[in-house]
Short mmCIF file of all heavy atoms in Angstrom, two decimals:
data_model
loop_
_atom_site.label_atom_id
_atom_site.label_comp_id
_atom_site.label_asym_id
_atom_site.label_seq_id
_atom_site.Cartn_x
_atom_site.Cartn_y
_atom_site.Cartn_z
N GLY E 117 -5.41 -0.71 69.14
CA GLY E 117 -5.05 0.70 69.13
C GLY E 117 -3.56 0.91 69.07
O GLY E 117 -3.06 1.80 68.37
N GLY E 118 -2.80 0.09 69.82
CA GLY E 118 -1.35 0.22 69.82
C GLY E 118 -0.73 -0.11 68.47
O GLY E 118 0.17 0.59 67.99
N ILE E 119 -1.24 -1.18 67.84
CA ILE E 119 -0.70 -1.57 66.53
C ILE E 119 -1.08 -0.52 65.48
O ILE E 119 -0.26 -0.14 64.63
CB ILE E 119 -1.18 -2.98 66.14
CG1 ILE E 119 -0.54 -4.01 67.08
CG2 ILE E 119 -0.84 -3.29 64.69
CD1 ILE E 119 -1.07 -5.41 66.93
N ALA E 120 -2.32 -0.05 65.54
CA ALA E 120 -2.75 0.99 64.59
C ALA E 120 -1.92 2.26 64.78
O ALA E 120 -1.50 2.89 63.80
CB ALA E 120 -4.23 1.29 64.77
N ALA E 121 -1.66 2.63 66.03
CA ALA E 121 -0.85 3.82 66.29
C ALA E 121 0.58 3.63 65.81
O ALA E 121 1.20 4.56 65.28
CB ALA E 121 -0.87 4.15 67.78
N LEU E 122 1.11 2.41 65.98
CA LEU E 122 2.47 2.12 65.51
C LEU E 122 2.55 2.32 63.99
O LEU E 122 3.44 3.02 63.51
CB LEU E 122 2.86 0.69 65.88
CG LEU E 122 4.21 0.23 65.38
CD1 LEU E 122 5.33 0.88 66.18
CD2 LEU E 122 4.33 -1.28 65.45
N PHE E 123 1.63 1.72 63.26
CA PHE E 123 1.62 1.88 61.81
C PHE E 123 1.41 3.35 61.44
O PHE E 123 2.06 3.87 60.54
CB PHE E 123 0.53 1.01 61.18
CG PHE E 123 0.92 -0.42 61.00
CD1 PHE E 123 1.12 -1.23 62.09
CD2 PHE E 123 1.09 -0.96 59.73
CE1 PHE E 123 1.49 -2.56 61.93
CE2 PHE E 123 1.46 -2.28 59.56
CZ PHE E 123 1.66 -3.09 60.66
N GLY E 124 0.48 3.99 62.14
CA GLY E 124 0.19 5.38 61.84
C GLY E 124 1.37 6.29 62.07
O GLY E 124 1.67 7.15 61.24
N LEU E 125 2.07 6.11 63.20
CA LEU E 125 3.20 7.00 63.51
C LEU E 125 4.43 6.70 62.65
O LEU E 125 5.25 7.59 62.42
CB LEU E 125 3.55 6.91 64.99
CG LEU E 125 2.54 7.55 65.93
CD1 LEU E 125 2.89 7.25 67.38
CD2 LEU E 125 2.47 9.05 65.69
N LEU E 126 4.57 5.46 62.20
CA LEU E 126 5.73 5.14 61.37
C LEU E 126 5.53 5.50 59.90
O LEU E 126 6.50 5.79 59.20
CB LEU E 126 6.08 3.66 61.49
CG LEU E 126 6.68 3.21 62.82
CD1 LEU E 126 6.98 1.71 62.79
CD2 LEU E 126 7.94 3.98 63.16
N PHE E 127 4.26 5.50 59.42
CA PHE E 127 4.05 5.68 57.98
C PHE E 127 3.18 6.88 57.59
O PHE E 127 3.41 7.49 56.57
CB PHE E 127 3.47 4.41 57.37
CG PHE E 127 4.36 3.22 57.57
CD1 PHE E 127 3.96 2.17 58.38
CD2 PHE E 127 5.61 3.17 56.99
CE1 PHE E 127 4.80 1.09 58.58
CE2 PHE E 127 6.45 2.09 57.19
CZ PHE E 127 6.04 1.04 57.99
N ALA E 128 2.19 7.21 58.39
CA ALA E 128 1.27 8.29 58.01
C ALA E 128 1.92 9.66 57.94
O ALA E 128 1.60 10.44 57.03
CB ALA E 128 0.07 8.32 58.95
N PRO E 129 2.85 10.02 58.84
CA PRO E 129 3.42 11.36 58.75
C PRO E 129 4.12 11.64 57.42
O PRO E 129 4.04 12.76 56.91
CB PRO E 129 4.43 11.41 59.91
CG PRO E 129 3.89 10.44 60.90
CD PRO E 129 3.28 9.34 60.07
N GLN E 130 4.74 10.62 56.82
CA GLN E 130 5.40 10.84 55.53
C GLN E 130 4.38 11.21 54.46
O GLN E 130 4.63 12.06 53.61
CB GLN E 130 6.16 9.59 55.07
CG GLN E 130 7.40 9.31 55.85
CD GLN E 130 7.14 8.35 56.98
OE1 GLN E 130 6.44 8.68 57.92
NE2 GLN E 130 7.72 7.17 56.94
N ILE E 131 3.21 10.57 54.51
CA ILE E 131 2.17 10.86 53.53
C ILE E 131 1.64 12.28 53.73
O ILE E 131 1.49 13.04 52.78
CB ILE E 131 1.02 9.83 53.65
CG1 ILE E 131 1.55 8.44 53.29
CG2 ILE E 131 -0.15 10.21 52.76
CD1 ILE E 131 0.61 7.31 53.63
N LEU E 132 1.40 12.63 54.99
CA LEU E 132 0.86 13.96 55.29
C LEU E 132 1.84 15.08 54.92
O LEU E 132 1.44 16.12 54.41
CB LEU E 132 0.48 14.06 56.76
CG LEU E 132 -0.66 13.12 57.20
CD1 LEU E 132 -0.86 13.21 58.70
CD2 LEU E 132 -1.93 13.44 56.45
N VAL E 133 3.12 14.83 55.17
CA VAL E 133 4.13 15.85 54.85
C VAL E 133 4.22 16.04 53.34
O VAL E 133 4.56 17.12 52.85
CB VAL E 133 5.49 15.46 55.47
CG1 VAL E 133 6.62 16.26 54.88
CG2 VAL E 133 5.44 15.66 56.97
N GLY E 134 3.88 15.00 52.58
CA GLY E 134 3.89 15.11 51.12
C GLY E 134 2.93 16.15 50.59
O GLY E 134 3.08 16.63 49.46
N PHE E 135 1.91 16.51 51.39
CA PHE E 135 0.94 17.52 50.97
C PHE E 135 1.42 18.95 51.23
O PHE E 135 0.81 19.90 50.78
CB PHE E 135 -0.41 17.30 51.66
CG PHE E 135 -1.09 16.04 51.22
CD1 PHE E 135 -1.31 15.01 52.12
CD2 PHE E 135 -1.50 15.87 49.92
CE1 PHE E 135 -1.93 13.84 51.72
CE2 PHE E 135 -2.13 14.71 49.50
CZ PHE E 135 -2.34 13.69 50.41
N LEU E 136 2.50 19.09 51.99
CA LEU E 136 3.04 20.42 52.28
C LEU E 136 3.84 20.93 51.08
O LEU E 136 4.28 20.15 50.24
CB LEU E 136 3.94 20.36 53.51
CG LEU E 136 3.27 19.98 54.83
CD1 LEU E 136 4.33 19.80 55.92
CD2 LEU E 136 2.26 21.03 55.23
N PRO E 137 4.07 22.22 51.01
CA PRO E 137 4.95 22.75 49.95
C PRO E 137 6.33 22.09 50.03
O PRO E 137 6.82 21.79 51.13
CB PRO E 137 5.03 24.24 50.25
CG PRO E 137 3.85 24.54 51.10
CD PRO E 137 3.53 23.29 51.85
N GLU E 138 6.94 21.89 48.90
CA GLU E 138 8.21 21.18 48.84
C GLU E 138 9.30 21.83 49.68
O GLU E 138 10.13 21.15 50.28
CB GLU E 138 8.67 21.06 47.39
CG GLU E 138 9.83 20.11 47.21
CD GLU E 138 10.14 19.89 45.75
OE1 GLU E 138 9.22 19.85 44.93
OE2 GLU E 138 11.35 19.76 45.45
N SER E 139 9.30 23.15 49.75
CA SER E 139 10.32 23.84 50.53
C SER E 139 10.21 23.49 52.02
O SER E 139 11.20 23.46 52.72
CB SER E 139 10.21 25.35 50.34
OG SER E 139 8.93 25.80 50.76
N VAL E 140 9.00 23.22 52.48
CA VAL E 140 8.78 22.85 53.88
C VAL E 140 8.94 21.36 54.07
O VAL E 140 9.58 20.88 55.02
CB VAL E 140 7.37 23.31 54.35
CG1 VAL E 140 7.08 22.83 55.76
CG2 VAL E 140 7.25 24.81 54.24
N SER E 141 8.35 20.56 53.16
CA SER E 141 8.34 19.11 53.33
C SER E 141 9.75 18.51 53.33
O SER E 141 10.01 17.56 54.05
CB SER E 141 7.49 18.44 52.25
OG SER E 141 8.05 18.61 50.97
N ASP E 142 10.66 19.08 52.54
CA ASP E 142 12.03 18.56 52.50
C ASP E 142 12.71 18.68 53.86
O ASP E 142 13.48 17.81 54.25
CB ASP E 142 12.86 19.30 51.44
CG ASP E 142 12.51 18.88 50.03
OD1 ASP E 142 11.80 17.85 49.87
OD2 ASP E 142 12.91 19.58 49.09
N HIS E 143 12.43 19.75 54.58
CA HIS E 143 13.07 19.95 55.88
C HIS E 143 12.39 19.13 56.97
O HIS E 143 13.04 18.66 57.90
CB HIS E 143 13.06 21.44 56.25
CG HIS E 143 13.88 22.28 55.34
ND1 HIS E 143 15.25 22.16 55.25
CD2 HIS E 143 13.52 23.22 54.44
CE1 HIS E 143 15.70 23.02 54.34
NE2 HIS E 143 14.67 23.67 53.83
N VAL E 144 11.08 18.95 56.87
CA VAL E 144 10.32 18.24 57.91
C VAL E 144 10.45 16.73 57.75
O VAL E 144 10.59 16.00 58.74
CB VAL E 144 8.83 18.68 57.86
CG1 VAL E 144 7.99 17.84 58.80
CG2 VAL E 144 8.71 20.15 58.19
N TYR E 145 10.40 16.24 56.51
CA TYR E 145 10.36 14.81 56.23
C TYR E 145 11.44 14.02 56.95
O TYR E 145 11.19 12.99 57.56
CB TYR E 145 10.44 14.57 54.72
CG TYR E 145 10.44 13.11 54.35
CD1 TYR E 145 9.25 12.43 54.21
CD2 TYR E 145 11.63 12.41 54.14
CE1 TYR E 145 9.23 11.09 53.87
CE2 TYR E 145 11.63 11.08 53.81
CZ TYR E 145 10.43 10.41 53.68
OH TYR E 145 10.42 9.08 53.36
N LYS E 146 12.66 14.50 56.87
CA LYS E 146 13.78 13.72 57.40
C LYS E 146 13.79 13.61 58.91
O LYS E 146 14.52 12.79 59.46
CB LYS E 146 15.11 14.25 56.88
CG LYS E 146 15.40 15.69 57.15
CD LYS E 146 16.70 16.06 56.44
CE LYS E 146 16.91 17.54 56.36
NZ LYS E 146 18.09 17.88 55.60
N TYR E 147 12.98 14.41 59.60
CA TYR E 147 12.93 14.32 61.07
C TYR E 147 11.67 13.64 61.57
O TYR E 147 11.38 13.66 62.76
CB TYR E 147 13.09 15.72 61.68
CG TYR E 147 14.46 16.28 61.37
CD1 TYR E 147 14.62 17.30 60.44
CD2 TYR E 147 15.59 15.75 61.98
CE1 TYR E 147 15.88 17.78 60.14
CE2 TYR E 147 16.85 16.24 61.68
CZ TYR E 147 16.98 17.25 60.75
OH TYR E 147 18.24 17.72 60.44
#
Side-chain angles (χ1 to χ4, degrees):
I119 292 172
L122 176 74
F123 278 67
L125 289 173
L126 289 180
F127 301 113
Q130 288 94 292
I131 296 169
L132 296 175
V133 165
F135 293 115
L136 296 173
E138 191 173 325
S139 61
V140 175
S141 66
D142 285 347
H143 295 294
V144 173
Y145 178 85
K146 56 185 166 185
Y147 295 107

